[in-house]
Amino acid sequence: MKRVLLAAVATMLSSAAFAADGDIVRDGEYHFLAAQMGEQWAAQDGEIDAKLADLYAANGGKPPNILYVLIDDVSFGLMGNRAMNYVAGFDTPNINEFAGESLSLMRMYTEPSCTPTRTAFLTGRHPVRAGQEEVKVALVGEGLAAEEVTIAEVLKASGYNTAHVGKWHQGDIEQSFPHNQGFDVAYFPVHQQVQLSLMTKEAAQATNLNGWHPSTQSGQFAIDKLFKPYGLVTGLEAEAGGMAREVGLEAGEEWTQVHYEEMNDRYQRQIMEQLERLSGEDEPFFLQYWPLFPLNFTYSEQQTSRNGGFMADKMEVIDDWFGDLMAKVDELGLAENTLVVFMADNGIFKQYSPNSGMQELIYRGGKAEHLEGGVRVDAFVRWPGVIEAGSYAGDIIHVSDLYTTFARIAGATDGIPRDRVIDGVDQTALLLEGEGNSRRDYVYIYEGPVLRSIVKQEFKMHMPAPGVPGAAAPVFNILRDPREMSPDIGGSLWSGASFQDMAKRHALTIAKHPHLPLGKGVPYEGIESLRPESELARKTFASWH
């Protein structure tokens, strides 16, 4: 039997051209698993198809609505658990209640920072494959390319109504805006919280952003008056096929913390409005809410949490708002036919800890790091009567898996592109059948364009420096050493070659299917009536590009 299995694996690697699973192009490691598990997965898929057909029939022939809520910079363990609320000093009772009604994904991996994680979700691909490798702050003339096929486009083509509210941060060019990437309507800021909450006088007074605001230094010897970012567009609203328009800021007006608070309030109102609007339509909907809170860098006049940190307090605000959103789902009679996913995008912004009130817990690391604390997050999935409430899954899942899973549940798998690598694997069996049914036991973790670590089962290798053999690379048993502090030489000796084989299979796929280019363009095109200061910023940018 073992000899037959090895022969099947060898044949797959040499001649399968990395095309299977309905001709979706997969990474080499997926095929390595499929060669061992393919027959079992195929039989299970038949059962899943029958179960989905029954669910559609009970819902008038329609697939479920999908509501996806993604929040910023919250490490694993900081929400969903009353005991950890006491430890952290802030309370999330509504999220905790939701977790009790959900499947808790205990090994949800994301990318190390917000832009890459969101790209992975939207495209089902490692963000490096789309050129979306890092967070950008000011004008760059780059973004998610029009050639990328987002989950919103896949679902829209299958008959879903689509809407986006909140953070986007996929680029400052017209092709990358959400209403040009599959969303019927979109309410979003172009940039992110560095501009919106840090580049303010209030954040400067809190000593959380030094040097940018003119109140912090005299600038006596500054010659270049255009060195510091200026004239950045803030919040946009748009509909598919139309121009975007800026709201909430007048020409010549300085952006402040008050504007940031108002933007957050506006997005909460709009998500409630969109939920109510979409609930009245005949078609199923895909509604996406990406709040800007809890990222925040100033203190309120009166902090309200026991913790008192300027982000911890906003976690309690997010909890209230999420509770209101779930109450609206119930009020509108949507709960039984709506799949809801709530999760964070990466670990804490630890450079602002402890004053932010957000802290590392069991896992070491935070935002922008490949350590578990940077890429392990809380994630909860609710679908009453379908997904077992109060259940847990220790299986590995990656944020890109939501792309293929949402497509499968929506009956939209045919819309997944077949001309590029799709890293997300279909995890419908895990959601519907529970723990032990994941289709992956591995994750590749990048920092920017660099592969920094590989996770396989409970083991994790930090990639060796060039010229260093795998047997000498640090390998950790995450169950025994969750903080990745004590590499296990015994583990390295047996696993080093296997991890390097995984890296080679990954590299072979990249060689056969090269990364697609990042979208390029002139910043802020497609926006009506730019403020004069934004026009100046764009013209200055264009003058040297």
Side-chain angles (χ1 to χ4, degrees):
M1 177 64 185
K2 184 176 180 181
R3 186 177 296 111
V4 172
L5 174 60
L6 291 174
V9 170
T11 301
M12 176 276 298
L13 290 175
S14 63
S15 62
F18 299 108
D21 192 33
D23 294 325
I24 293 175
V25 181
R26 298 292 191 178
D27 204 347
E29 191 63 19
Y30 177 85
H31 288 295
F32 203 75
L33 294 183
Q36 303 171 56
M37 300 294 296
E39 290 186 8
Q40 179 178 325
W41 287 351
Q44 188 179 39
D45 282 339
E47 298 170 359
I48 295 297
D49 285 341
K51 181 173 288 191
L52 288 174
D54 289 342
L55 291 169
Y56 296 170
N59 190 31
K62 296 189 299 185
N65 308 308
I66 299 173
L67 173 58
Y68 180 56
V69 183
L70 181 68
I71 67 173
D72 256 313
D73 296 8
V74 182
S75 293
F76 182 89
L78 285 173
M79 56 186 179
N81 184 297
R82 186 165 177 257
M84 297 314 297
N85 281 171
Y86 276 99
V87 170
F90 57 85
D91 297 322
T92 60
N94 293 300
I95 298 171
N96 298 356
E97 181 180 356
F98 180 79
E101 300 167 346
S102 302
L103 168 64
S104 295
L105 299 172
M106 304 305 289
R107 292 194 73 181
M108 167 61 84
Y109 282 88
T110 64
E111 299 294 316
S113 58
C114 52
T115 296
T117 289
R118 292 157 203 272
T119 299
F121 166 74
L122 287 166
T123 67
R125 291 151 49 76
H126 283 302
V128 68
R129 299 194 196 276
Q132 292 275 75
E133 300 165 354
E134 60 180 338
V135 172
K136 305 289 178 64
V137 173
L139 288 179
V140 290
E142 298 173 349
L144 190 66
E147 289 75 19
E148 293 294 335
V149 179
T150 69
I151 184 60
E153 291 174 302
V154 171
L155 296 178
K156 186 174 180 177
S158 187
Y160 274 68
N161 292 331
T162 59
H164 171 86
V165 178
K167 181 170 178 173
W168 179 247
H169 206 218
Q170 291 298 297
D172 57 14
I173 55 176
E174 185 176 9
Q175 65 184 285
S176 69
F177 293 159
H179 60 291
N180 297 319
Q181 290 284 354
F183 289 95
D184 299 322
V185 295
Y187 307 89
F188 65 103
V190 177
H191 304 288
Q192 37 75 290
Q193 293 95 324
V194 168
Q195 175 210 9
L196 300 170
S197 186
L198 264 174
M199 290 168 60
T200 66
K201 184 176 182 178
E202 294 87 350
Q205 291 170 339
T207 68
N208 281 330
L209 189 75
N210 299 317
W212 177 80
H213 196 272
S215 66
T216 60
Q217 293 174 235
S218 70
Q220 178 181 359
F221 298 108
I223 297 174
D224 184 355
K225 304 302 182 185
L226 304 177
F227 174 62
K228 299 176 182 179
Y230 60 93
L232 301 181
V233 170
T234 56
L236 297 180
E237 299 183 356
E239 297 179 3
M243 298 276 284
R245 56 200 172 277
E246 188 173 22
V247 298
L249 192 67
E250 300 297 326
E253 186 180 7
E254 181 179 3
W255 182 265
T256 68
Q257 176 69 13
V258 170
H259 289 95
Y260 180 62
E261 300 271 353
E262 290 175 345
M263 176 180 273
N264 279 276
D265 290 338
R266 183 169 71 247
Y267 290 150
Q268 177 65 13
R269 290 195 305 272
Q270 288 170 327
I271 192 63
M272 302 290 275
E273 292 166 358
Q274 289 302 308
L275 179 63
E276 187 150 9
R277 178 185 69 83
L278 290 165
S279 71
E281 304 290 339
D282 291 334
E283 297 80 10
F285 64 77
F286 171 52
L287 179 57
Q288 182 167 276
Y289 184 28
W290 294 353
L292 299 168
F293 288 159
L295 273 197
N296 180 65
F297 298 91
T298 66
Y299 290 100
S300 301
E301 186 173 326
Q302 172 61 58
Q303 299 292 94
T304 58
S305 68
R306 297 185 304 281
N307 177 309
F310 46 77
M311 294 185 195
D313 263 34
K314 296 306 184 187
M315 267 304 304
E316 294 198 340
V317 173
I318 283 292
D319 184 75
D320 288 341
W321 286 355
F322 183 66
D324 291 342
L325 183 61
M326 290 299 98
K328 177 63 73 171
V329 168
D330 292 341
E331 176 190 322
L332 294 170
L334 298 171
E336 299 301 316
N337 299 316
T338 302
L339 172 68
V340 183
V341 177
F342 180 92
M343 61 180 286
D345 64 353
N346 48 253
I348 64 165
F349 204 155
K350 69 176 190 177
Q351 290 81 354
Y352 286 94
S353 182
N355 289 340
S356 70
M358 309 297 274
Q359 60 275 110
E360 295 177 348
L361 293 176
I362 186 171
Y363 299 115
R364 183 168 64 95
K367 186 184 185 80
E369 296 180 313
H370 69 107
L371 299 170
E372 295 288 287
V375 294
R376 286 277 291 276
V377 299
D378 294 306
F380 313 110
V381 187
R382 190 187 80 169
W383 188 357
V386 180
I387 292 175
E388 182 182 355
S391 58
Y392 293 80
D395 309 65
I396 290 177
I397 183 170
H398 185 257
V399 64
S400 64
D401 296 347
L402 296 178
Y403 180 92
T404 36
T405 305
F406 286 178
R408 174 79 179 281
I409 289 172
T413 303
D414 288 347
I416 295 174
R418 266 64 172 176
D419 63 346
R420 65 202 66 185
V421 177
I422 300 296
D423 295 291
V425 303
D426 176 19
Q427 299 284 19
T428 307
L430 176 62
L431 300 190
L432 272 57
E433 301 296 321
E435 185 173 69
N437 288 285
S438 177
R439 299 285 172 95
R440 73 158 75 232
D441 67 351
Y442 66 94
V443 176
Y444 294 97
I445 303 175
Y446 281 82
E447 287 181 358
V450 180
L451 181 62
R452 289 299 310 276
S453 59
I454 301 175
V455 176
K456 181 74 169 180
Q457 299 162 14
E458 67 265 41
F459 308 102
K460 181 174 183 178
M461 171 183 272
H462 293 185
M463 297 303 292
V468 175
V475 172
F476 305 87
N477 184 320
I478 298 302
L479 293 175
R480 299 179 184 178
D481 183 15
R483 296 188 63 77
E484 298 165 80
M485 298 289 286
S486 303
D488 176 14
I489 185 60
S492 300
L493 289 174
W494 72 259
S495 70
S498 296
F499 273 115
Q500 290 203 329
D501 286 346
M502 290 181 66
K504 290 172 184 175
R505 288 193 284 273
H506 187 58
L508 284 171
T509 306
I510 293 171
K512 187 171 183 64
H513 301 279
H515 300 331
L516 297 181
L518 181 65
K520 301 282 187 178
V522 177
Y524 298 163
E525 286 189 328
I527 301 174
E528 295 177 339
S529 303
L530 283 178
R531 289 177 287 122
E533 51 267 41
S534 301
E535 283 281 14
L536 175 61
R538 183 170 70 168
K539 288 177 180 177
T540 303
F541 179 88
S543 71
W544 61 275
H545 281 78

